[in-house]
Amino acid sequence: METAEQLGHVEQAETLFTIHQIHHVEMYVGNAKQAAYYYRRGFGFKWVGYQGPETGVRDRVSYLLEQGKIHLVLTKPLDPESPIAEHIQKHGDSVRDIAFDVDDAAEAYQITTERGAEGVAEPHEESDDHGTVKRSIIKTYGDTVHSFIETKDYNGFFLPNFEQREDNLAEPVGFKHIDHIVGNVDWDQMEETVNFYRNIFGFRRFVSFDDKDISTEHSALRSTVVANENLWIKFPINEPAEGLRKSQIEEYVQFHQGPGVQHIAIECEDIVETIDQLRKNGIEFIHVPETYYHDMEERAGDIHEPVEELQRLNILVDKDDKGYMLQIFTKPVEDRPTLFFEFIQRRGGESFGKGNFKALFEAIERDQAARGNL
Ligand code: FE2
């Protein structure tokens, strides 16, 4: 169980410039049309916007999907020589951009690059009939980037050149917003990445786990969560650690050909209803054994959800001194064992599921063994 000290308030975050929220997450994928169908039918995202040759964009096609406050953009290149195609060739379907909604894209770029961030695109304007968006882009771990997006002079529904779409296919499953996005980095890169977010963004170290938190029988990792001042943005950063088995983070970095986003955690309105529906939709989850539920009431204490329901759906519970949280992880959504999703519901608990690491790692190791990667 995490203590109050472990849960933060050790470090004050500093507001260097205003970030309102995550504007969207963009994935580069090999076939955006088919990926969109998967996220619509599987996860219940509504298809709400599109850009491509029909909207005057020649080099790519993007599908904008929405559920709750989450905006997911799936982009496929039309030119096999483009950097987008290279990204897909190297990493498979993978997150490219965690874009921030900011007050001032030029200011965000100036502050972060002066503090050492590497620029990808200087502040520039993107316009259509609905106005102008200002945007700049910096690099973070691996080939992942952060766009800074300023929309105060824009009246369109999303970004320039996107046309609205109506979706009659997707049935939303109760997603609310992104709780956290996890980055996997290579051996001994965690501190550097954590310090990047502390120095460049003024984020604070929120909570850390080391290999002592995780039994050495298991595929170990170290993790530190960085967060902004109001905790709306939480980025755990994982690195491999020595264990008896190959670290699951090392396996990721090998298959992804470098650091990248490991999972996106989504807060749900009612996780029992959400997972029930996702299972009906054919989404596959990591499986923990029945024995996990045997001492559940002892471990978790008074919980609102019936244990039989949690067991039926294989939802995990983790407790801290502020309450508890429910969580479950999908299997990878790519053929490479790279990106996956987590669904959570916080009932006071601020943890990231440390109490479940052992049960989860055992489950992940069974899948790693099946892939021959122990
Ligand atoms: Fe997570």
Side-chain angles (χ1 to χ4, degrees):
M1 191 170 107
E2 286 128 12
T3 62
E5 295 84 68
Q6 279 176 306
L7 280 170
H9 320 295
V10 250
E11 234 176 50
Q12 256 340 90
E14 210 184 327
T15 301
L16 302 173
F17 56 93
T18 305
I19 299 177
H20 293 290
Q21 58 189 333
I22 292 173
H23 184 273
H24 68 269
V25 174
E26 181 171 29
M27 282 173 67
Y28 286 169
V29 299
N31 188 330
K33 179 179 268 192
Q34 289 187 8
Y37 184 80
Y38 173 82
Y39 286 104
R40 291 160 73 201
R41 286 305 282 244
F43 287 76
F45 280 97
K46 289 253 180 206
W47 180 25
V48 296
Y50 172 85
Q51 72 172 2
E54 299 86 343
T55 76
V57 175
R58 307 305 305 177
D59 68 335
R60 69 188 68 190
V61 165
S62 299
Y63 290 71
L64 168 65
L65 308 182
E66 178 186 76
Q67 190 171 171
K69 291 191 171 135
I70 307 162
H71 290 97
L72 184 63
V73 176
L74 303 169
T75 295
K76 180 215 161 72
L78 296 175
D79 171 5
E81 305 294 323
S82 80
I84 305 174
E86 247 173 69
H87 195 277
I88 296 165
Q89 170 77 8
K90 186 169 178 196
H91 303 299
D93 287 8
S94 176
V95 171
R96 164 64 173 175
D97 191 356
I98 302 166
F100 294 125
D101 178 1
V102 298
D103 273 344
D104 187 332
E107 178 202 38
Y109 187 82
Q110 194 194 346
I111 291 174
T112 52
T113 51
E114 271 176 12
R115 287 173 162 255
E118 192 183 319
V120 175
E122 292 197 3
H124 59 278
E125 295 186 346
E126 296 172 7
S127 304
D128 67 7
D129 296 345
H130 304 284
T132 298
V133 163
K134 292 200 184 89
R135 185 172 191 159
S136 58
I137 309 174
I138 62 163
K139 225 171 121 47
T140 176
Y141 47 79
D143 288 326
T144 319
V145 301
H146 289 303
S147 280
F148 298 119
I149 296 179
E150 172 190 330
T151 55
K152 63 173 174 290
D153 298 321
Y154 191 65
N155 299 315
F157 76 106
F158 183 60
L159 290 173
N161 302 314
F162 274 84
E163 273 181 6
Q164 250 168 319
R165 290 288 184 273
E166 288 225 354
D167 194 334
N168 302 315
L169 187 68
E171 299 285 343
V173 297
F175 295 171
K176 283 167 72 182
H177 52 81
I178 291 175
D179 183 86
H180 58 273
I181 299 180
V182 180
N184 278 351
V185 297
D186 213 338
W187 290 94
D188 304 318
Q189 287 182 355
M190 183 184 74
E191 266 314 296
E192 194 187 310
T193 311
V194 164
N195 286 332
F196 172 87
Y197 283 103
R198 291 166 78 221
N199 300 334
I200 308 288
F201 288 93
F203 288 2
R204 68 175 157 122
R205 198 185 288 272
F206 182 57
V207 52
S208 298
F209 314 104
D210 63 27
D211 33 351
K212 289 188 266 342
D213 290 325
I214 299 152
S215 164
T216 50
E217 284 165 54
H218 303 291
S219 57
L221 61 81
R222 269 183 292 271
S223 186
T224 296
V225 185
V226 290
N228 76 331
E229 209 171 14
N230 59 19
L231 298 182
W232 287 351
I233 296 160
K234 295 185 287 273
F235 292 156
I237 307 294
N238 295 335
E239 70 179 5
E242 290 293 348
L244 291 181
R245 306 279 172 83
K246 179 186 272 190
S247 170
Q248 54 181 287
I249 310 306
E250 186 176 9
E251 191 200 32
Y252 173 100
V253 171
Q254 284 171 353
F255 276 89
H256 190 262
Q257 296 282 306
V261 169
Q262 180 208 38
H263 73 265
I264 299 172
I266 294 175
E267 167 91 21
C268 307
E269 205 84 58
D270 179 330
I271 195 168
V272 170
E273 272 179 29
T274 297
I275 302 308
D276 194 38
Q277 192 54 52
L278 291 176
R279 285 191 181 279
K280 286 180 187 145
N281 293 355
I283 299 301
E284 293 179 307
F285 295 92
I286 294 273
H287 184 79
V288 299
E290 308 288 285
T291 49
Y292 175 87
Y293 296 91
H294 291 174
D295 58 348
M296 168 76 100
E297 262 149 54
E298 251 166 68
R299 256 187 305 134
D302 219 5
I303 53 170
H304 179 264
E305 295 74 15
V307 175
E308 318 79 71
E309 278 295 275
L310 300 180
Q311 180 164 357
R312 179 176 72 85
L313 297 165
N314 220 235
I315 295 169
L316 312 180
V317 182
D318 191 35
K319 205 184 163 187
D320 63 32
D321 56 348
K322 302 212 170 125
Y324 67 97
M325 60 92 92
L326 302 137
Q327 68 181 165
I328 187 167
F329 297 88
T330 70
K331 297 215 170 193
V333 293
E334 225 281 341
D335 291 303
R336 303 187 197 189
T338 51
L339 179 70
F340 60 87
F341 284 79
E342 174 184 2
F343 301 103
I344 75 170
Q345 188 178 354
R346 293 193 182 278
R347 290 201 179 269
E350 291 185 350
S351 89
F352 292 81
K354 188 173 105 176
N356 292 320
F357 280 5
K358 188 164 180 281
L360 279 167
F361 282 19
E362 284 167 350
I364 288 168
E365 278 172 14
R366 284 192 295 276
D367 288 350
Q368 269 184 294
R371 294 189 286 263
N373 292 314
L374 278 182

